[in-house]
Amino acid sequence: MTKRPAGRNRVPAPAYAVVIPTLGRPSLTACLAALAQARGPAPHRIVLVDDRPLTDCAPLPVEIPATLRDRTETVHGYGDGPAAARNAGWRAVDGVPWVVFLDDDVVPGPRWAEDLADDLRAATARTAGVAARISVPLPAGREPTDWERNTAGLATAKWITADMAFRRAALADVGGFDERFRRAFREDADLALRLLDAGWELAQGRRRTTHPVRPADRWVSVRLQAGNADDVLMNRLHGRGWWRRAQAPRGRLPGHLAVTAAAGGALVCAALGRRRAALGLAAGWLAGTAEFAWARIAPGPRTRDEVATMALTSALIPPVATAHWLRGLVRHRGVAPAAVPAGPVPVAAGPRPARERI
């Protein structure tokens, strides 16, 4: 049994606010319910950042627990993605020393607030952030699907904002999240590296949060390839060694580029009448695609639907990943580390002005 720190009740817990960017998913109600039930000091404020498009005028479809209503407010995002939404959230809680970012689909544990208080008490003056311990429940009685394994990777990911507490002064020091990251991908690693470069420290906490596997259609893995453009931005900002510093998996982009090149070359050779070269390149494409598909099928449940999904998406992923990588090269061609010495594009210290939904 883990020993609790002596004197935990004698040392006041630092005040904290909770910021939850949301698109109004049903899981937000479950997240807030778990937050209300967690034992320990309650958040000073809760800020829900409504990041739906400004054309969506409907109220957030959420049930806020009675014990949290007097400290919960909603601010409007701009539909610019989670990085911008989190910036809007933490800038709205001036005067609170710590800001805890939660995703709207996580479930804080029963001792979450109590353990968070311990995490913040243990922080040194140079601690910029304290990560939670994330668990991803997987189905019993069968092997996980490719999507379930992908989500399970959050349990070992570093500094993910599914549940991450940041010192507000540290966020202000580096300018917060870089809003050029428009998706829920790499914006957390970018912030962590900038904080470390600025002399801050990051710590692992003890609080526990569950991240359920949310439902997804069979094409989700293809859509996720948009992250290859964000990796180009990370390369521009932090150099090619950022993978090791952020302890992030390297991914299969080199293989995807080779498989896509083989497919393109086969088509060109066929059009030029070079049949032997076309067949050789086509064989290379087929072998690469088959290897990729089997690497995803082998550890899974191998049901008919899963095998069909892996076969289809394994053929599509390499060219889609390549297209997003090329898009990133074009879009971020002018970005250099010198352009953002201590943080992203300079921003004002206060919250962004409200904008009416239309």
Side-chain angles (χ1 to χ4, degrees), residues 29-222:
T29 293
C31 177
L32 290 174
L35 195 60
Q37 295 164 11
R39 189 167 70 237
H44 183 72
R45 292 171 66 186
I46 298 174
V47 177
L48 307 179
V49 185
D50 184 353
D51 201 36
R52 294 175 299 173
L54 292 173
T55 52
D56 190 343
C57 303
L60 274 176
V62 59
E63 182 178 340
I64 301 174
T67 56
L68 299 180
R69 280 182 200 142
D70 63 343
R71 65 190 68 207
T72 301
E73 64 179 301
T74 300
V75 301
H76 294 312
Y78 296 84
D80 291 336
R86 293 190 187 103
N87 280 342
W90 73 261
R91 291 179 189 133
V93 291
D94 194 14
V96 181
W98 286 90
V99 179
V100 184
F101 295 103
L102 294 178
D103 284 352
D104 69 356
D105 56 352
V106 303
V107 181
R111 289 197 321 210
W112 184 86
E114 192 175 74
D115 290 339
L116 171 66
D118 288 341
D119 290 345
L120 302 187
R121 287 189 189 103
T124 69
R126 294 306 297 168
T127 300
V130 186
R133 299 180 185 273
I134 304 293
S135 62
V136 179
L138 295 175
R142 65 165 174 81
E143 298 298 328
T145 65
D146 180 71
W147 170 238
E148 290 165 345
R149 295 194 304 274
N150 182 283
T151 305
L154 297 174
T156 55
K158 282 286 188 180
W159 324 129
I160 60 170
T161 42
D163 183 344
M164 185 78 184
F166 285 105
R167 193 185 296 273
R168 193 179 188 281
L171 291 171
D173 183 42
V174 300
F177 291 88
D178 189 331
E179 298 182 11
R180 288 172 292 189
F181 292 93
R182 300 290 299 271
R183 299 166 8 90
F185 191 67
R186 302 305 190 204
E187 83 290 351
D188 43 14
D190 167 73
L191 176 61
L193 293 180
R194 286 189 287 111
L195 286 166
L196 294 172
D197 289 342
W200 292 93
E201 299 171 356
L202 297 170
Q204 176 67 62
R206 64 186 302 153
R207 67 191 185 280
R208 294 187 177 275
T209 295
T210 299
H211 193 303
V213 179
R214 65 175 182 264
D217 61 49
R218 66 168 42 181
W219 308 111
V220 62
S221 58
V222 178

